[in-house]
Amino acid sequence: DGGITQSPKYLFRKEGQNVTLSCEQNLNHDAMYWYRQDPGQGLRLIYYSQIVNDFQKGDIAEGYSVSREKKESFPLTVTSAQKNPTAFYLCASSSFREHIGTEAFFGQGTRLTVV
Amino acid sequence: SQQGEEDPQALSIQEGENATMNCSYKTSINNLQWYRQNSGRGLVHLILIRSNEREKHSGRLRVTLDTSKKSSSLLITASRAADTASYFCASWNQGGKLIFGQGTELSVKP
């Protein structure tokens, strides 16, 4: 089945620790995105990538890092510099047709908690 | 930066009633999309309306777009308890970012 997979579903981080969230898609989409969602809030863009080996900062990139070495994969690392990382993280992918974005497909999310 | 602002933030209705959610956006768009999110889950795409369309239907969903007012509305007719979810509008900006509104939390009581 085609889709986008995030893992793990739940993740616990100790203070000062880096953690990496996985996002894989087999939809052959060029573009991938990471969003953060806090309780009762909308989605805020962390990083996005429109092509392999290239990515751009979103609105809240501080304390996060990404890589895009393969088309299928876009892992997000939450570093110790992110002071308030407890949130729900969503990964998405989409295609572009004639430079116009189409619908995005989302993974099921990773809930990160600092302990 | 939020491209879309949604109204109301929360909506509670009885089963069988219609639910209307509104979205306003700031910059010009090629298309506008609506998504649904069940609690604790990922978002699911519902419908996409292009900038040259004024209205679009999909089952019990009806979306309108008024580019002169930079606004869109999502109407769910004959709502069901299973429609309880958060609904978000989203649009692409010039830089290729998909930007979401704050969402409307819909509660449909049986």
Side-chain angles (χ1 to χ4, degrees):
Chain A
D1 284 0
I4 182 164
T5 302
Q6 287 186 243
S7 63
K9 189 172 181 179
Y10 298 97
L11 187 57
F12 298 90
R13 192 194 94 167
K14 294 181 180 179
E15 296 281 352
Q17 197 177 45
N18 291 356
V19 291
T20 298
L21 284 59
S22 171
C23 179
E24 303 276 333
Q25 55 99 0
N26 60 5
L27 300 166
N28 199 33
H29 286 165
D30 287 314
M32 296 186 75
Y33 310 84
W34 275 106
Y35 292 91
R36 169 179 172 142
Q37 187 178 33
D38 292 286
Q41 301 294 312
L43 280 67
R44 292 187 290 169
L45 184 63
I46 305 172
Y47 269 98
Y48 64 110
S49 168
Q50 294 179 314
I51 195 168
V52 175
N53 292 322
D54 189 39
F55 49 83
Q56 287 78 41
K57 293 182 179 180
D59 299 317
I60 56 166
E62 186 174 349
Y64 300 97
S65 66
V66 293
S67 63
R68 187 85 188 276
E69 296 176 1
K70 297 187 300 181
K71 189 175 186 177
E72 302 79 19
S73 179
F74 192 40
L76 173 74
T77 296
V78 184
T79 75
S80 57
Q82 171 49 242
K83 296 306 177 190
N84 184 22
T86 295
F88 190 50
Y89 291 86
L90 287 158
C91 180
S93 69
S94 70
S95 61
F96 279 74
R97 295 172 193 154
E98 298 178 350
H99 307 291
I100 297 173
T102 62
E103 64 268 31
F105 291 78
F106 280 81
Q108 289 303 304
T110 292
R111 189 166 298 281
L112 174 62
T113 304
V114 173
V115 296
Chain B
S1 60
Q2 296 294 128
Q3 171 74 317
E5 297 293 333
E6 294 178 67
D7 168 58
Q9 290 188 336
L11 180 60
S12 182
I13 59 174
Q14 295 294 130
E15 218 168 18
E17 294 180 338
N18 294 344
T20 300
M21 290 158 267
N22 302 297
C23 168
S24 60
Y25 56 92
K26 298 175 184 175
T27 62
S28 62
I29 59 171
N30 291 310
N31 61 58
L32 186 135
Q33 305 170 45
W34 285 89
Y35 291 81
R36 168 193 168 126
Q37 184 183 33
N38 286 358
S39 180
R41 306 296 296 272
L43 277 70
V44 175
H45 180 261
L46 293 176
I47 194 165
L48 180 153
I49 185 165
R50 303 188 192 287
S51 59
N52 61 355
E53 297 176 310
R54 291 296 167 260
E55 188 170 308
K56 196 164 183 179
H57 297 251
S58 177
R60 293 184 296 112
L61 305 180
R62 189 188 87 165
V63 169
T64 62
L65 181 64
D66 186 335
T67 53
S68 66
K69 296 180 179 178
K70 290 188 167 60
S71 67
S72 175
S73 67
L74 171 67
L75 168 68
I76 304 174
T77 60
S79 62
R80 306 166 181 167
D83 294 328
T84 294
S86 293
Y87 293 83
F88 296 89
C89 66
S91 59
W92 298 95
N93 75 357
Q94 296 292 343
K97 295 181 185 179
L98 182 59
I99 305 296
F100 285 81
Q102 294 282 6
T104 294
E105 192 173 329
L106 174 65
S107 174
V108 182
K109 301 185 186 308

